[in-house]
mmCIF file of all heavy atoms in Angstrom:
data_model
loop_
_atom_site.group_PDB
_atom_site.id
_atom_site.type_symbol
_atom_site.label_atom_id
_atom_site.label_comp_id
_atom_site.label_asym_id
_atom_site.label_seq_id
_atom_site.Cartn_x
_atom_site.Cartn_y
_atom_site.Cartn_z
ATOM 1 N N THR A 357 -48.643 53.584 5.147
ATOM 2 C CA THR A 357 -47.477 52.704 5.106
ATOM 3 C C THR A 357 -46.643 53.025 3.876
ATOM 4 O O THR A 357 -47.135 53.572 2.891
ATOM 5 C CB THR A 357 -47.903 51.216 5.036
ATOM 6 O OG1 THR A 357 -48.682 51.000 3.843
ATOM 7 C CG2 THR A 357 -48.733 50.818 6.246
ATOM 8 N N ASN A 358 -45.356 52.706 3.973
ATOM 9 C CA ASN A 358 -44.418 52.872 2.854
ATOM 10 C C ASN A 358 -44.372 54.306 2.344
ATOM 11 O O ASN A 358 -44.290 54.554 1.140
ATOM 12 C CB ASN A 358 -44.784 51.928 1.705
ATOM 13 C CG ASN A 358 -44.904 50.494 2.144
ATOM 14 O OD1 ASN A 358 -44.038 49.973 2.831
ATOM 15 N ND2 ASN A 358 -46.005 49.846 1.781
ATOM 16 N N LEU A 359 -44.408 55.255 3.251
ATOM 17 C CA LEU A 359 -44.453 56.667 2.881
ATOM 18 C C LEU A 359 -43.074 57.316 2.842
ATOM 19 O O LEU A 359 -42.935 58.432 2.316
ATOM 20 C CB LEU A 359 -45.356 57.442 3.855
ATOM 21 C CG LEU A 359 -46.788 56.908 4.013
ATOM 22 C CD1 LEU A 359 -47.559 57.778 4.995
ATOM 23 C CD2 LEU A 359 -47.499 56.849 2.683
ATOM 24 N N ALA A 360 -42.066 56.660 3.369
ATOM 25 C CA ALA A 360 -40.726 57.244 3.390
ATOM 26 C C ALA A 360 -40.238 57.465 1.964
ATOM 27 O O ALA A 360 -40.535 56.702 1.047
ATOM 28 C CB ALA A 360 -39.762 56.331 4.142
ATOM 29 N N GLY A 361 -39.467 58.541 1.793
ATOM 30 C CA GLY A 361 -38.950 58.853 0.471
ATOM 31 C C GLY A 361 -39.966 59.495 -0.439
ATOM 32 O O GLY A 361 -39.761 59.563 -1.662
ATOM 33 N N ALA A 362 -41.068 59.991 0.130
ATOM 34 C CA ALA A 362 -42.121 60.589 -0.686
ATOM 35 C C ALA A 362 -41.589 61.767 -1.487
ATOM 36 O O ALA A 362 -40.783 62.569 -0.997
ATOM 37 C CB ALA A 362 -43.280 61.042 0.201
ATOM 38 N N THR A 363 -42.049 61.859 -2.727
ATOM 39 C CA THR A 363 -41.671 62.974 -3.590
ATOM 40 C C THR A 363 -42.795 63.988 -3.723
ATOM 41 O O THR A 363 -42.561 65.096 -4.215
ATOM 42 C CB THR A 363 -41.292 62.458 -4.985
ATOM 43 O OG1 THR A 363 -42.389 61.696 -5.524
ATOM 44 C CG2 THR A 363 -40.061 61.564 -4.905
ATOM 45 N N ALA A 364 -44.002 63.632 -3.306
ATOM 46 C CA ALA A 364 -45.117 64.579 -3.352
ATOM 47 C C ALA A 364 -46.235 64.107 -2.452
ATOM 48 O O ALA A 364 -46.439 62.905 -2.269
ATOM 49 C CB ALA A 364 -45.640 64.733 -4.786
ATOM 50 N N VAL A 365 -46.958 65.077 -1.871
ATOM 51 C CA VAL A 365 -48.224 64.832 -1.177
ATOM 52 C C VAL A 365 -49.229 65.769 -1.830
ATOM 53 O O VAL A 365 -49.059 66.997 -1.794
ATOM 54 C CB VAL A 365 -48.124 65.106 0.334
ATOM 55 C CG1 VAL A 365 -49.481 64.904 0.998
ATOM 56 C CG2 VAL A 365 -47.076 64.211 0.982
ATOM 57 N N THR A 366 -50.246 65.204 -2.472
ATOM 58 C CA THR A 366 -51.185 66.022 -3.229
ATOM 59 C C THR A 366 -52.575 66.014 -2.592
ATOM 60 O O THR A 366 -53.009 65.017 -2.021
ATOM 61 C CB THR A 366 -51.307 65.524 -4.679
ATOM 62 O OG1 THR A 366 -51.700 64.146 -4.673
ATOM 63 C CG2 THR A 366 -49.985 65.661 -5.398
ATOM 64 N N PHE A 367 -53.266 67.154 -2.730
ATOM 65 C CA PHE A 367 -54.625 67.331 -2.213
ATOM 66 C C PHE A 367 -55.568 67.505 -3.409
ATOM 67 O O PHE A 367 -56.040 68.604 -3.710
ATOM 68 C CB PHE A 367 -54.689 68.545 -1.297
ATOM 69 C CG PHE A 367 -54.049 68.349 0.048
ATOM 70 C CD1 PHE A 367 -52.676 68.218 0.169
ATOM 71 C CD2 PHE A 367 -54.817 68.283 1.209
ATOM 72 C CE1 PHE A 367 -52.075 68.037 1.403
ATOM 73 C CE2 PHE A 367 -54.233 68.111 2.450
ATOM 74 C CZ PHE A 367 -52.853 67.975 2.548
ATOM 75 N N GLY A 368 -55.823 66.401 -4.103
ATOM 76 C CA GLY A 368 -56.730 66.424 -5.233
ATOM 77 C C GLY A 368 -56.393 67.524 -6.222
ATOM 78 O O GLY A 368 -55.224 67.784 -6.534
ATOM 79 N N ALA A 369 -57.441 68.226 -6.711
ATOM 80 C CA ALA A 369 -57.250 69.291 -7.691
ATOM 81 C C ALA A 369 -56.523 70.492 -7.109
ATOM 82 O O ALA A 369 -56.007 71.335 -7.857
ATOM 83 C CB ALA A 369 -58.612 69.719 -8.241
ATOM 84 N N ALA A 370 -56.442 70.566 -5.777
ATOM 85 C CA ALA A 370 -55.720 71.677 -5.156
ATOM 86 C C ALA A 370 -54.220 71.585 -5.396
ATOM 87 O O ALA A 370 -53.505 72.577 -5.279
ATOM 88 C CB ALA A 370 -56.012 71.719 -3.661
ATOM 89 N N GLY A 371 -53.738 70.377 -5.699
ATOM 90 C CA GLY A 371 -52.327 70.218 -6.036
ATOM 91 C C GLY A 371 -51.458 69.829 -4.867
ATOM 92 O O GLY A 371 -51.935 69.280 -3.865
ATOM 93 N N ASN A 372 -50.175 70.105 -5.009
ATOM 94 C CA ASN A 372 -49.184 69.652 -4.040
ATOM 95 C C ASN A 372 -49.258 70.417 -2.735
ATOM 96 O O ASN A 372 -49.548 71.623 -2.714
ATOM 97 C CB ASN A 372 -47.775 69.810 -4.615
ATOM 98 C CG ASN A 372 -47.514 68.861 -5.765
ATOM 99 O OD1 ASN A 372 -48.147 67.817 -5.870
ATOM 100 N ND2 ASN A 372 -46.583 69.215 -6.628
ATOM 101 N N ALA A 373 -48.964 69.703 -1.648
ATOM 102 C CA ALA A 373 -48.818 70.363 -0.349
ATOM 103 C C ALA A 373 -47.715 71.406 -0.448
ATOM 104 O O ALA A 373 -46.715 71.216 -1.148
ATOM 105 C CB ALA A 373 -48.478 69.333 0.716
ATOM 106 N N SER A 374 -47.897 72.528 0.234
ATOM 107 C CA SER A 374 -46.888 73.584 0.178
ATOM 108 C C SER A 374 -45.615 73.185 0.901
ATOM 109 O O SER A 374 -44.542 73.707 0.625
ATOM 110 C CB SER A 374 -47.447 74.876 0.766
ATOM 111 O OG SER A 374 -47.903 74.675 2.102
ATOM 112 N N ALA A 375 -45.727 72.212 1.819
ATOM 113 C CA ALA A 375 -44.549 71.657 2.505
ATOM 114 C C ALA A 375 -44.953 70.303 3.051
ATOM 115 O O ALA A 375 -46.115 70.084 3.413
ATOM 116 C CB ALA A 375 -44.086 72.577 3.636
ATOM 117 N N PHE A 376 -43.999 69.373 3.090
ATOM 118 C CA PHE A 376 -44.302 68.063 3.672
ATOM 119 C C PHE A 376 -43.024 67.378 4.097
ATOM 120 O O PHE A 376 -41.930 67.681 3.624
ATOM 121 C CB PHE A 376 -45.062 67.173 2.671
ATOM 122 C CG PHE A 376 -44.257 66.754 1.466
ATOM 123 C CD1 PHE A 376 -43.516 65.580 1.475
ATOM 124 C CD2 PHE A 376 -44.248 67.536 0.328
ATOM 125 C CE1 PHE A 376 -42.774 65.198 0.365
ATOM 126 C CE2 PHE A 376 -43.509 67.166 -0.780
ATOM 127 C CZ PHE A 376 -42.769 65.991 -0.762
ATOM 128 N N SER A 377 -43.196 66.433 5.026
ATOM 129 C CA SER A 377 -42.093 65.610 5.509
ATOM 130 C C SER A 377 -42.669 64.256 5.874
ATOM 131 O O SER A 377 -43.719 64.183 6.538
ATOM 132 C CB SER A 377 -41.429 66.256 6.726
ATOM 133 O OG SER A 377 -40.427 65.416 7.266
ATOM 134 N N CYS A 378 -41.998 63.164 5.441
ATOM 135 C CA CYS A 378 -42.582 61.834 5.613
ATOM 136 C C CYS A 378 -41.612 60.861 6.268
ATOM 137 O O CYS A 378 -40.400 60.912 6.027
ATOM 138 C CB CYS A 378 -43.004 61.258 4.258
ATOM 139 S SG CYS A 378 -44.327 62.194 3.431
ATOM 140 N N THR A 379 -42.152 59.982 7.084
ATOM 141 C CA THR A 379 -41.461 58.799 7.574
ATOM 142 C C THR A 379 -42.125 57.594 6.904
ATOM 143 O O THR A 379 -42.970 57.752 6.023
ATOM 144 C CB THR A 379 -41.565 58.680 9.096
ATOM 145 O OG1 THR A 379 -42.942 58.460 9.456
ATOM 146 C CG2 THR A 379 -41.059 59.936 9.792
ATOM 147 N N ALA A 380 -41.782 56.397 7.338
ATOM 148 C CA ALA A 380 -42.375 55.205 6.744
ATOM 149 C C ALA A 380 -43.880 55.141 6.964
ATOM 150 O O ALA A 380 -44.623 54.668 6.107
ATOM 151 C CB ALA A 380 -41.715 53.950 7.305
ATOM 152 N N THR A 381 -44.354 55.635 8.099
ATOM 153 C CA THR A 381 -45.759 55.456 8.461
ATOM 154 C C THR A 381 -46.551 56.745 8.569
ATOM 155 O O THR A 381 -47.732 56.712 8.923
ATOM 156 C CB THR A 381 -45.876 54.711 9.796
ATOM 157 O OG1 THR A 381 -45.155 55.456 10.807
ATOM 158 C CG2 THR A 381 -45.295 53.320 9.698
ATOM 159 N N GLY A 382 -45.956 57.880 8.275
ATOM 160 C CA GLY A 382 -46.708 59.118 8.400
ATOM 161 C C GLY A 382 -46.049 60.290 7.715
ATOM 162 O O GLY A 382 -44.830 60.325 7.554
ATOM 163 N N CYS A 383 -46.873 61.245 7.306
ATOM 164 C CA CYS A 383 -46.393 62.492 6.720
ATOM 165 C C CYS A 383 -47.046 63.655 7.448
ATOM 166 O O CYS A 383 -48.200 63.557 7.889
ATOM 167 C CB CYS A 383 -46.753 62.598 5.234
ATOM 168 S SG CYS A 383 -46.016 61.366 4.154
ATOM 169 N N THR A 384 -46.328 64.735 7.592
ATOM 170 C CA THR A 384 -46.931 66.007 7.972
ATOM 171 C C THR A 384 -46.897 66.876 6.732
ATOM 172 O O THR A 384 -45.854 67.003 6.082
ATOM 173 C CB THR A 384 -46.177 66.670 9.129
ATOM 174 O OG1 THR A 384 -44.792 66.825 8.781
ATOM 175 C CG2 THR A 384 -46.279 65.827 10.399
ATOM 176 N N ALA A 385 -48.042 67.456 6.385
ATOM 177 C CA ALA A 385 -48.144 68.221 5.146
ATOM 178 C C ALA A 385 -48.983 69.465 5.390
ATOM 179 O O ALA A 385 -49.939 69.450 6.183
ATOM 180 C CB ALA A 385 -48.772 67.367 4.044
ATOM 181 N N THR A 386 -48.631 70.534 4.713
ATOM 182 C CA THR A 386 -49.395 71.771 4.796
ATOM 183 C C THR A 386 -50.324 71.852 3.593
ATOM 184 O O THR A 386 -49.868 71.855 2.445
ATOM 185 C CB THR A 386 -48.463 72.991 4.815
ATOM 186 O OG1 THR A 386 -47.554 72.871 5.920
ATOM 187 C CG2 THR A 386 -49.253 74.273 4.958
ATOM 188 N N ALA A 387 -51.628 71.892 3.866
ATOM 189 C CA ALA A 387 -52.615 71.871 2.790
ATOM 190 C C ALA A 387 -52.512 73.138 1.953
ATOM 191 O O ALA A 387 -52.425 74.248 2.491
ATOM 192 C CB ALA A 387 -54.015 71.733 3.369
ATOM 193 N N PRO A 388 -52.545 73.001 0.627
ATOM 194 C CA PRO A 388 -52.575 74.188 -0.235
ATOM 195 C C PRO A 388 -53.985 74.769 -0.270
ATOM 196 O O PRO A 388 -54.936 74.155 0.221
ATOM 197 C CB PRO A 388 -52.189 73.619 -1.608
ATOM 198 C CG PRO A 388 -52.741 72.225 -1.580
ATOM 199 C CD PRO A 388 -52.571 71.756 -0.154
ATOM 200 N N ALA A 389 -54.151 75.934 -0.847
ATOM 201 C CA ALA A 389 -55.481 76.494 -1.035
ATOM 202 C C ALA A 389 -56.251 75.635 -2.035
ATOM 203 O O ALA A 389 -55.667 75.055 -2.959
ATOM 204 C CB ALA A 389 -55.379 77.929 -1.536
ATOM 205 N N GLY A 390 -57.551 75.531 -1.837
ATOM 206 C CA GLY A 390 -58.367 74.714 -2.733
ATOM 207 C C GLY A 390 -59.809 75.154 -2.730
ATOM 208 O O GLY A 390 -60.235 75.974 -1.900
ATOM 209 N N ALA A 391 -60.576 74.609 -3.655
ATOM 210 C CA ALA A 391 -62.004 74.910 -3.733
ATOM 211 C C ALA A 391 -62.766 74.090 -2.701
ATOM 212 O O ALA A 391 -62.337 72.999 -2.303
ATOM 213 C CB ALA A 391 -62.520 74.603 -5.130
ATOM 214 N N ALA A 392 -63.908 74.626 -2.276
ATOM 215 C CA ALA A 392 -64.725 73.919 -1.292
ATOM 216 C C ALA A 392 -65.139 72.557 -1.833
ATOM 217 O O ALA A 392 -65.503 72.409 -2.997
ATOM 218 C CB ALA A 392 -65.953 74.743 -0.940
ATOM 219 N N GLY A 393 -65.032 71.537 -0.984
ATOM 220 C CA GLY A 393 -65.371 70.177 -1.369
ATOM 221 C C GLY A 393 -64.364 69.184 -0.845
ATOM 222 O O GLY A 393 -63.392 69.547 -0.169
ATOM 223 N N THR A 394 -64.585 67.905 -1.134
ATOM 224 C CA THR A 394 -63.748 66.823 -0.624
ATOM 225 C C THR A 394 -62.767 66.353 -1.695
ATOM 226 O O THR A 394 -63.147 66.166 -2.855
ATOM 227 C CB THR A 394 -64.601 65.641 -0.159
ATOM 228 O OG1 THR A 394 -65.465 66.084 0.900
ATOM 229 C CG2 THR A 394 -63.749 64.491 0.354
ATOM 230 N N VAL A 395 -61.514 66.187 -1.298
ATOM 231 C CA VAL A 395 -60.472 65.723 -2.207
ATOM 232 C C VAL A 395 -59.790 64.509 -1.588
ATOM 233 O O VAL A 395 -59.971 64.203 -0.401
ATOM 234 C CB VAL A 395 -59.426 66.826 -2.489
ATOM 235 C CG1 VAL A 395 -60.078 68.023 -3.139
ATOM 236 C CG2 VAL A 395 -58.706 67.232 -1.193
ATOM 237 N N ASP A 396 -58.993 63.798 -2.394
ATOM 238 C CA ASP A 396 -58.203 62.664 -1.916
ATOM 239 C C ASP A 396 -56.765 63.113 -1.695
ATOM 240 O O ASP A 396 -56.153 63.710 -2.591
ATOM 241 C CB ASP A 396 -58.221 61.525 -2.941
ATOM 242 C CG ASP A 396 -59.605 60.943 -3.115
ATOM 243 O OD1 ASP A 396 -60.098 60.315 -2.179
ATOM 244 O OD2 ASP A 396 -60.193 61.136 -4.209
ATOM 245 N N VAL A 397 -56.250 62.824 -0.509
ATOM 246 C CA VAL A 397 -54.846 63.109 -0.211
ATOM 247 C C VAL A 397 -54.047 61.878 -0.601
ATOM 248 O O VAL A 397 -54.250 60.786 -0.053
ATOM 249 C CB VAL A 397 -54.638 63.442 1.278
ATOM 250 C CG1 VAL A 397 -53.166 63.711 1.562
ATOM 251 C CG2 VAL A 397 -55.488 64.651 1.661
ATOM 252 N N ARG A 398 -53.108 62.035 -1.542
ATOM 253 C CA ARG A 398 -52.352 60.901 -2.050
ATOM 254 C C ARG A 398 -50.855 61.184 -1.933
ATOM 255 O O ARG A 398 -50.416 62.326 -2.090
ATOM 256 C CB ARG A 398 -52.726 60.620 -3.508
ATOM 257 C CG ARG A 398 -54.219 60.411 -3.692
ATOM 258 C CD ARG A 398 -54.610 60.188 -5.134
ATOM 259 N NE ARG A 398 -54.170 58.871 -5.598
ATOM 260 C CZ ARG A 398 -54.323 58.458 -6.851
ATOM 261 N NH1 ARG A 398 -54.869 59.259 -7.757
ATOM 262 N NH2 ARG A 398 -53.918 57.251 -7.199
ATOM 263 N N VAL A 399 -50.114 60.133 -1.639
ATOM 264 C CA VAL A 399 -48.664 60.247 -1.457
ATOM 265 C C VAL A 399 -47.968 59.540 -2.610
ATOM 266 O O VAL A 399 -48.311 58.404 -2.957
ATOM 267 C CB VAL A 399 -48.230 59.631 -0.109
ATOM 268 C CG1 VAL A 399 -46.706 59.706 0.042
ATOM 269 C CG2 VAL A 399 -48.909 60.365 1.047
ATOM 270 N N THR A 400 -46.974 60.208 -3.185
ATOM 271 C CA THR A 400 -46.188 59.648 -4.281
ATOM 272 C C THR A 400 -44.785 59.355 -3.796
ATOM 273 O O THR A 400 -44.147 60.206 -3.153
ATOM 274 C CB THR A 400 -46.119 60.631 -5.461
ATOM 275 O OG1 THR A 400 -47.441 60.918 -5.917
ATOM 276 C CG2 THR A 400 -45.310 60.043 -6.608
ATOM 277 N N THR A 401 -44.297 58.149 -4.052
ATOM 278 C CA THR A 401 -42.910 57.773 -3.790
ATOM 279 C C THR A 401 -42.328 57.239 -5.095
ATOM 280 O O THR A 401 -43.052 57.054 -6.078
ATOM 281 C CB THR A 401 -42.799 56.690 -2.695
ATOM 282 O OG1 THR A 401 -43.231 55.432 -3.249
ATOM 283 C CG2 THR A 401 -43.642 57.034 -1.474
ATOM 284 N N PRO A 402 -41.033 56.976 -5.138
ATOM 285 C CA PRO A 402 -40.460 56.391 -6.361
ATOM 286 C C PRO A 402 -41.082 55.049 -6.733
ATOM 287 O O PRO A 402 -40.932 54.598 -7.871
ATOM 288 C CB PRO A 402 -38.973 56.238 -6.006
ATOM 289 C CG PRO A 402 -38.720 57.315 -5.003
ATOM 290 C CD PRO A 402 -39.974 57.373 -4.184
ATOM 291 N N LEU A 403 -41.795 54.411 -5.799
ATOM 292 C CA LEU A 403 -42.383 53.104 -6.066
ATOM 293 C C LEU A 403 -43.832 53.184 -6.528
ATOM 294 O O LEU A 403 -44.421 52.170 -6.901
ATOM 295 C CB LEU A 403 -42.287 52.227 -4.819
ATOM 296 C CG LEU A 403 -40.874 51.976 -4.300
ATOM 297 C CD1 LEU A 403 -40.918 51.144 -3.031
ATOM 298 C CD2 LEU A 403 -40.024 51.297 -5.361
ATOM 299 N N GLY A 404 -44.447 54.363 -6.485
ATOM 300 C CA GLY A 404 -45.817 54.475 -6.939
ATOM 301 C C GLY A 404 -46.594 55.547 -6.199
ATOM 302 O O GLY A 404 -46.038 56.338 -5.428
ATOM 303 N N VAL A 405 -47.900 55.561 -6.448
ATOM 304 C CA VAL A 405 -48.805 56.546 -5.864
ATOM 305 C C VAL A 405 -49.864 55.803 -5.062
ATOM 306 O O VAL A 405 -50.390 54.774 -5.505
ATOM 307 C CB VAL A 405 -49.482 57.398 -6.959
ATOM 308 C CG1 VAL A 405 -50.375 58.464 -6.340
ATOM 309 C CG2 VAL A 405 -48.443 58.038 -7.866
ATOM 310 N N SER A 406 -50.185 56.306 -3.894
ATOM 311 C CA SER A 406 -51.197 55.646 -3.056
ATOM 312 C C SER A 406 -52.542 55.617 -3.775
ATOM 313 O O SER A 406 -52.923 56.565 -4.478
ATOM 314 C CB SER A 406 -51.333 56.368 -1.712
ATOM 315 O OG SER A 406 -51.761 57.710 -1.903
ATOM 316 N N ALA A 407 -53.257 54.521 -3.596
ATOM 317 C CA ALA A 407 -54.573 54.364 -4.216
ATOM 318 C C ALA A 407 -55.600 55.252 -3.508
ATOM 319 O O ALA A 407 -55.426 55.632 -2.349
ATOM 320 C CB ALA A 407 -55.008 52.903 -4.148
#
Side-chain angles (χ1 to χ4, degrees):
T357 60
N358 307 312
L359 305 180
T363 56
V365 177
T366 57
F367 286 69
N372 292 336
S374 57
F376 67 90
S377 175
C378 296
T379 66
T381 57
C383 297
T384 56
T386 303
T394 299
V395 299
D396 295 292
V397 179
R398 305 178 71 184
V399 178
T400 301
T401 74
L403 301 178
V405 183
S406 62

